[in-house]
Amino acid sequence: NEERLSTKDISESAYNEYQRTFREWKQYMSQVDRHPACPNEEHIKGFIDYLQEDRGNAVATVKNRLMYLNAPYEYWQDDAAFPHPTDYNPIQLAKDTVNLNAEEPKEPPRLTLDELRNVVSYITHIRDRAFVVIQLKLGLRASEVCNIKLSEVHISNSELLNHYDEMGSSRRLQGRENTLYIPHNRERNKSRRPRLLPLDGELRGALVRYLLIRPDNNEPWLLLSKNRRQKLRHKDVNQVWKKAFHPKYAETEDHRAVTSHFGRHYFTTYWRVQE
């Protein structure tokens, strides 16, 4: 990839977009247990679905990602050691069969606060409820939720602070209570700036209930996977949303499906429109 990019006269922003595409592609392929240099057509289709459903990207962004991905693939095709025939390009094959017309994107359904509260009330798993509440309250991406460390969250609760020595120990939280710190430069955290976000009473309550039963296994991450008790994958968060909101709020002719990206949409809409 670096060799290919070094031969192209591109801006720094375009270079960064190439690198972001490569990071997202490698992350996706690791989930399907396939080397990123050996995709087939189905892998590309799955990546398109991942970009649209899990990452919430518009059609134009998806097309750009495929263009950036296609560049190194065609570069590899010129090498005599490349095992596939030169007329086999899974990226082009997927583009020919997947509808990527730049139609006006569907809007998510407009759920009222009462409707959201009703759904959340039926989420019985304590950790899963924390997922949904933290995204609705703070507009975090699924990847940002997975990246939160115990040291980056402070909750004024003596029982938690006595139990978790590392809680709130980040220097960015010094002198700040009931606050969450989101760094901008952690892998898959897409924001340009770090953020300090307040935790209101409802969100603190959801997190306290989870932290009181969180496994003690020396993992630094705030929220852990159910089975592995390790760092979450962003698709774990999306599965929680689908389980909670589908089939009632699955995709329709008029609306997009409610997935983990809905939390960010609801958050930004509230602050831009209502407030």
Side-chain angles (χ1 to χ4, degrees):
N1 294 340
E2 293 293 340
E3 182 179 349
R4 172 61 172 168
L5 293 179
S6 67
T7 65
K8 298 174 71 69
D9 183 19
I10 59 176
S11 65
E12 182 179 355
S13 61
Y15 177 85
N16 291 336
E17 286 302 306
Y18 271 100
Q19 294 292 357
R20 175 176 291 176
T21 299
F22 299 155
R23 287 196 303 270
E24 292 180 349
W25 170 247
K26 288 189 288 187
Q27 175 70 24
Y28 170 76
M29 291 296 275
S30 70
Q31 295 173 11
V32 297
D33 197 27
R34 181 87 162 200
H35 192 282
C38 302
N40 60 30
E41 183 180 350
E42 293 305 312
H43 293 126
I44 303 298
K45 291 179 179 179
F47 185 54
I48 292 171
D49 183 66
Y50 158 77
L51 291 173
Q52 291 181 309
E53 295 299 324
D54 293 3
R55 303 291 292 178
N57 288 306
V59 169
T61 301
V62 173
K63 287 182 176 180
N64 284 337
R65 293 284 188 270
L66 294 178
M67 178 185 69
Y68 297 141
L69 195 63
N70 191 56
Y73 190 88
E74 290 186 341
Y75 180 66
W76 294 334
Q77 283 182 314
D78 293 336
D79 194 311
F82 195 66
H84 299 302
T86 55
D87 60 349
Y88 175 75
N89 186 319
I91 302 169
Q92 293 297 335
L93 288 173
K95 287 173 65 177
D96 291 341
T97 56
V98 175
N99 183 10
L100 286 176
N101 294 325
E103 300 173 353
E104 190 69 25
K106 297 178 184 177
E107 286 290 316
R110 296 186 179 183
L111 275 64
T112 66
L113 184 57
D114 286 340
E115 288 172 323
L116 283 173
R117 283 173 172 162
N118 184 60
V119 173
V120 171
S121 70
Y122 279 95
I123 303 175
T124 56
H125 195 283
I126 292 175
R127 188 212 62 173
D128 292 357
R129 181 179 291 191
F131 281 164
V132 175
V133 173
I134 199 171
Q135 288 192 272
L136 287 170
K137 291 280 189 177
L138 301 180
L140 298 181
R141 299 176 177 89
S143 54
E144 291 173 329
V145 174
C146 299
N147 279 337
I148 299 172
K149 293 182 178 181
L150 281 165
S151 60
E152 295 162 347
V153 59
H154 180 279
I155 299 176
S156 294
N157 180 290
S158 57
E159 189 172 357
L160 292 183
L161 293 172
N162 289 334
H163 184 76
Y164 294 105
D165 293 336
E166 66 272 44
M167 174 169 278
S169 60
S170 170
R171 64 180 183 83
R172 298 301 296 268
L173 290 178
Q174 289 184 7
R176 298 180 183 272
E177 296 184 345
N178 299 319
T179 303
L180 173 66
Y181 170 59
I182 302 292
H184 70 290
N185 54 359
R186 188 161 295 156
E187 185 177 6
R188 299 178 65 83
N189 283 14
K190 295 171 65 175
S191 295
R192 297 179 181 178
R193 301 180 183 86
R195 286 166 287 162
L196 288 164
L197 303 173
L199 307 178
D200 69 7
E202 190 174 18
L203 178 50
R204 292 200 304 274
L207 292 175
V208 166
R209 283 189 288 274
Y210 169 71
L211 288 168
L212 289 175
I213 61 170
R214 178 187 179 275
D216 284 331
N217 58 356
N218 297 317
E219 286 282 347
W221 313 106
L222 174 68
L223 299 160
L224 302 177
S225 63
K226 290 180 181 177
N227 298 323
R228 297 177 297 117
R229 302 291 192 261
Q230 295 175 345
K231 185 180 181 181
L232 287 159
R233 298 164 296 186
H234 74 275
K235 70 175 185 179
D236 297 329
V237 180
N238 201 38
Q239 285 302 316
V240 169
W241 278 79
K242 289 182 178 180
K243 181 179 178 181
F245 285 86
H246 294 190
K248 185 174 183 179
Y249 297 110
E251 184 174 5
T252 67
E253 291 185 4
D254 300 319
H255 297 293
R256 287 171 54 183
V258 172
T259 63
S260 63
H261 188 70
F262 180 83
R264 185 165 180 79
H265 169 82
Y266 184 85
F267 174 87
T268 53
T269 300
Y270 176 83
W271 288 105
R272 288 174 180 170
V273 179
Q274 293 182 239
E275 296 295 330

